[in-house]
Amino acid sequence: METTEAKPSHPRTRDPVRSVPRAPAAAPAHENGNGNGAASHDGHDDWGHIAPVRNGKVIFVSVLVFLALAALFATGFIPRVRNTAQLNAEAQAAGGPVPVSVVQPKVAPNVIEIALPGTLRPWQEVSIYARSTGYLSKWYADISSQVKKGQLLAEVDSPEIDQQLQQARAAVLQTKAAQAQAASLLQMAQITNRRYQSLKGTSGVTQQDLDQKAADLSAADAGVEAAKANVAAADANVRRLTELQGYQKVTAPFDGVVTGRSFDTGALINADPTSADIKPMYKIAENDVLRVFVNVPQTNSLSIKKGMDVKVTARERPGVVFNGKVMGTTNYLDPASRSLLTEIKVPNTDGALLPGMFVQASFSLMRDKPPLIIPSPSLIVNAEGTQVAVVKSDNTIHFQKIKLGEDYGNTLEVTEGLNGDEQIIATPGEKISEGVAVNVIQSQTAQQKPSPQKTDKVAEAGK
């Protein structure tokens, strides 16, 4: 009797995500032809396939990191290489390397000119106060009047001072009369003392009488000295009041122009310097010579010397240059603005300039080690900093980093990065990149003479 091989009731399965060993499936028991319940086997075990244990999360993170690095590489290096290759291909397709115009840096001139803002001030400016209290009786000069030294400006009526002066003069007469009286008493004391001294040693005079006459002589002599001092004091009082009376006439202290007048005829003039409401009668300024105050930045402060020539210009006087000289400096930099206050003397005999005007002072400064100069369009500014495109000996481009000095508008000073014999691209465009092959079609030199440096750093200072 044939026996049929027993088949498992459930097929062997594998976990699609994680494979783990499973227990062997037991074959169902079937009775054989003999009727016994022995299990039959096909000669093979029923264990499932065992897969290695893997961590799904680790694999997922690793894939993400790999993808991120690949993305950075694809967006950074590959486009640059592709761009360079494309530019070279375009250059070759266009008939060769990129045509460029180059310029060679030049050494800046030893003497540069800087223009700094300044403010005009009068050579002298004073406020004239009254020294004699009274009423303004008359004034002779008004605002804008040109006056000379010693010219009468106004008169003040001071009756109190006039009366005090008369009293002082009378007191002088009294003290002089007292001095004459003291002199007569001294003379009498001298005569009496001599008479008593002639009787010394006789019975006609006692020693007490002799001592008394000597004391009277000393007192008379002291009285004369006191009278002289009183006369001197009275004379000094007369001179003081006479001087105050002289201040009733207000005069100009120097040649100039009247810039202010505070009182009209009949106004009370207070000469008390401690009064809170005291006001000047006149303000006078000397405008024949003017002062210009300029704040020189720290970078140029050491080049300013006393006596150096300065050209002063005003916007209101186009085309006119006023020659001035440096009178001196404060020899001290303002900590706030890092600038040096400089005073310039400017003649103004024709009155072309007015105090308070805003002017430009141009200094010609000498430099021991002038920097190099390049055209402004040749500068490249990007994430790498300030650079220029230099043509190497094999006619390829190299981006050279530089450090800049002063900016003159059309040209720039280069303090570091160049030695002066380079050929730099005059106007680098989009086709210029690191390593690109170029063909020099035009060569020129940088502008040697920079335009005047107009600096507003001090105005921010003059701040």
Side-chain angles (χ1 to χ4, degrees):
M1 181 177 224
E2 293 183 357
T3 59
T4 305
E5 185 179 0
K7 294 182 179 181
S9 59
H10 300 285
R12 289 174 295 181
T13 60
R14 175 177 295 179
D15 191 342
V17 178
R18 180 183 299 175
S19 298
V20 296
R22 295 179 179 271
H30 298 279
E31 292 183 357
N32 56 12
N34 299 326
N36 56 13
S40 64
H41 300 280
D42 56 359
H44 301 281
D45 59 5
D46 295 330
W47 291 90
H49 295 287
I50 301 174
V53 180
R54 297 181 182 274
N55 191 333
K57 293 183 178 179
V58 174
I59 296 175
F60 181 71
V61 172
S62 300
V63 171
L64 289 181
V65 172
F66 176 78
L67 291 177
L69 293 176
L72 292 176
F73 181 79
T75 58
F77 179 75
I78 294 178
R80 179 176 295 182
V81 174
R82 185 181 300 168
N83 185 32
T84 302
Q86 182 179 358
L87 291 177
N88 289 329
E90 291 178 357
Q92 295 295 334
V98 179
V100 295
S101 175
V102 297
V103 62
Q104 185 175 0
K106 284 296 181 180
V107 179
N110 294 334
V111 179
I112 63 170
E113 186 174 292
I114 62 171
L116 301 173
T119 303
L120 289 175
R121 291 286 183 266
W123 185 252
Q124 295 186 82
E125 186 176 15
V126 296
S127 297
I128 301 176
Y129 291 85
R131 289 292 309 276
S132 178
T133 300
Y135 294 93
L136 181 62
S137 60
K138 194 172 182 180
W139 54 268
Y140 301 97
D142 203 353
I143 295 176
S144 75
S145 297
Q146 295 288 337
V147 296
K148 297 294 183 179
K149 182 178 179 179
Q151 180 177 335
L152 183 62
L153 303 178
E155 292 182 2
V156 179
D157 187 9
S158 302
E160 293 84 358
I161 294 180
D162 296 340
Q163 294 175 1
Q164 291 174 9
L165 180 59
Q166 293 178 3
Q167 185 179 359
R169 287 171 177 170
V172 169
L173 297 177
Q174 291 178 349
T175 56
K176 288 183 177 180
Q179 181 183 7
Q181 184 179 3
S184 298
L185 292 176
L186 176 60
Q187 184 178 5
M188 186 62 186
Q190 291 173 345
I191 295 173
T192 303
N193 183 61
R194 284 196 298 270
R195 288 176 180 176
Y196 273 77
Q197 291 295 331
S198 63
L199 298 176
K200 185 178 180 180
T202 64
S203 60
V205 63
T206 62
Q207 185 62 39
Q208 182 178 358
D209 293 336
L210 293 174
D211 294 340
Q212 182 66 44
K213 299 308 178 182
D216 292 342
L217 177 60
S218 298
D221 186 60
V224 170
E225 295 299 327
K228 290 181 180 180
N230 291 335
V231 171
D235 286 338
N237 190 32
V238 169
R239 289 194 299 271
R240 179 183 68 84
L241 293 173
T242 301
E243 186 174 355
L244 286 178
Q245 191 179 47
Y247 284 116
Q248 292 177 352
K249 297 182 181 297
V250 180
T251 58
F254 51 78
D255 296 350
V257 59
V258 177
T259 60
R261 184 176 65 87
S262 303
F263 300 99
D264 291 323
T265 303
L268 176 63
I269 307 298
N270 186 7
D272 184 7
T274 61
S275 177
D277 60 347
I278 187 172
K279 294 189 300 183
M281 294 184 65
Y282 284 97
K283 291 183 178 180
I284 298 180
E286 182 179 357
N287 297 338
D288 291 343
V289 180
L290 299 177
R291 304 175 190 263
V292 182
F293 291 97
V294 177
N295 290 303
V296 179
Q298 178 178 343
T299 54
N300 306 116
S301 59
L302 297 180
S303 301
I304 303 301
K305 305 298 181 183
K306 183 177 180 179
M308 67 186 305
D309 295 329
V310 182
K311 297 179 180 179
V312 179
T313 57
R315 182 176 55 188
E316 293 75 14
R317 303 292 184 187
V320 181
V321 177
F322 302 89
N323 297 320
K325 286 187 176 295
V326 174
M327 295 294 295
T329 67
T330 56
N331 292 321
Y332 175 80
L333 291 180
D334 183 5
S337 60
R338 301 298 177 188
S339 60
L340 178 69
L341 182 62
T342 303
E343 181 184 4
I344 304 169
K345 180 180 180 181
V346 181
N348 188 40
T349 54
D350 56 354
L353 298 175
L354 299 177
M357 291 179 64
F358 181 83
V359 295
Q360 291 283 338
S362 298
F363 298 82
S364 296
L365 305 181
M366 178 71 69
R367 296 186 294 184
D368 296 333
K369 296 181 179 180
L372 295 174
I373 288 181
I374 63 172
S376 298
S378 64
L379 180 65
I380 301 173
V381 181
N382 52 26
E384 301 296 331
T386 53
Q387 301 174 325
V388 291
V390 178
V391 179
K392 298 193 298 184
S393 58
D394 58 354
N395 286 339
T396 59
I397 295 298
H398 170 63
F399 282 0
Q400 177 66 37
K401 292 184 178 181
I402 61 173
K403 289 186 178 180
L404 300 179
E406 297 292 343
D407 184 352
Y408 299 109
N410 295 330
T411 57
L412 300 170
E413 287 186 356
V414 178
T415 58
E416 293 183 18
L418 299 178
N419 54 25
D421 58 357
E422 297 89 352
Q423 287 186 329
I424 62 176
I425 305 299
T427 55
E430 297 180 354
K431 295 184 179 181
I432 301 301
S433 62
E434 185 72 26
V436 171
V438 296
N439 180 26
V440 177
I441 61 173
Q442 184 179 1
S443 179
Q444 55 186 353
T445 57
Q447 183 181 1
Q448 293 189 10
K449 184 177 180 181
S451 57
Q453 176 188 1
K454 295 186 178 180
T455 304
D456 291 331
K457 291 183 283 187
V458 182
E460 301 169 0
K463 292 174 72 281

